[in-house]
Amino acid sequence: MRWLDSRKLEADRPSFEEAAADGGRDPMLIQKSAGTYLYGTVDLATVRQRVQDDGFDRVIYVTDGAQKRHFRQVFDVARRAGWTRGAAGHEARLEHVTFGTVQGADGRKLSSRDGGTLPLSALLDRAAAAAQTVQAGLASTSWFSRPK
């Protein structure tokens, strides 16, 4: 927090502290008044560590599309704090790759907070089975032929 404050990225609020992302138009919550930190705080620290300590020149985050705003804020604050410039002076590329929302049988988004998520192995097994079903359907059409 002191590091962000020294860069004038932090604004004091009665109930929380924030860093101004997107030129101040979209503030990012950094710390609650009780002193607790949030996902964004951890993600900022991770960017700093990966770029400045570990020397990464490219960092790719892969999440569902619902996290788009969050990572836009994280990347903007990290850039403004100078944390995207590595030891050799290079500017690291921070990228957010999105995918569709993983849904349960009821059509609702799966949430790790609710404890209702599938293990990755089960999710991959389901995806492979679905791909085989699609492939079998394609193989039965006249326009699709397998190489011999």
Side-chain angles (χ1 to χ4, degrees):
M1 290 298 292
R2 282 180 264 148
W3 204 95
L4 284 174
D5 190 38
S6 71
R7 301 259 182 310
K8 303 294 185 215
L9 295 176
E10 190 173 86
D12 291 327
R13 302 278 192 220
S15 60
F16 60 85
E17 294 179 2
E18 63 186 31
D22 194 25
R25 293 184 297 272
D26 192 12
M28 178 182 167
L29 189 61
I30 300 294
Q31 182 180 26
K32 292 184 178 182
S33 60
T36 56
Y37 293 98
L38 303 159
Y39 289 121
T41 314
V42 174
D43 289 333
L44 282 170
T46 301
V47 167
R48 186 170 187 245
Q49 178 182 353
R50 288 179 177 158
V51 174
Q52 294 188 341
D53 298 342
D54 300 335
F56 289 16
D57 58 5
R58 186 177 184 193
V59 182
I60 304 171
Y61 291 84
V62 181
T63 69
D64 74 358
Q67 301 298 315
K68 186 175 183 177
R69 177 177 175 249
H70 169 77
F71 282 103
R72 183 176 40 79
Q73 290 175 319
V74 168
F75 296 167
D76 186 58
V77 171
R79 280 187 197 95
R80 293 180 63 232
W83 293 348
T84 58
R85 190 159 302 282
H90 69 278
E91 183 72 19
R93 288 177 47 196
L94 304 178
E95 299 176 48
H96 181 220
V97 177
T98 63
F99 56 82
T101 304
V102 180
Q103 299 176 334
D106 61 359
R108 293 180 27 208
K109 177 182 172 185
L110 291 179
S111 172
S112 59
R113 290 182 186 177
D114 297 337
T117 57
L118 294 171
L120 179 58
S121 60
L123 183 61
L124 292 174
D125 288 344
R126 288 185 184 186
Q132 287 174 343
T133 300
V134 169
Q135 184 180 19
L138 290 174
S140 66
T141 62
S142 61
W143 55 267
F144 181 81
S145 62
R146 294 178 187 263
K148 296 183 182 193

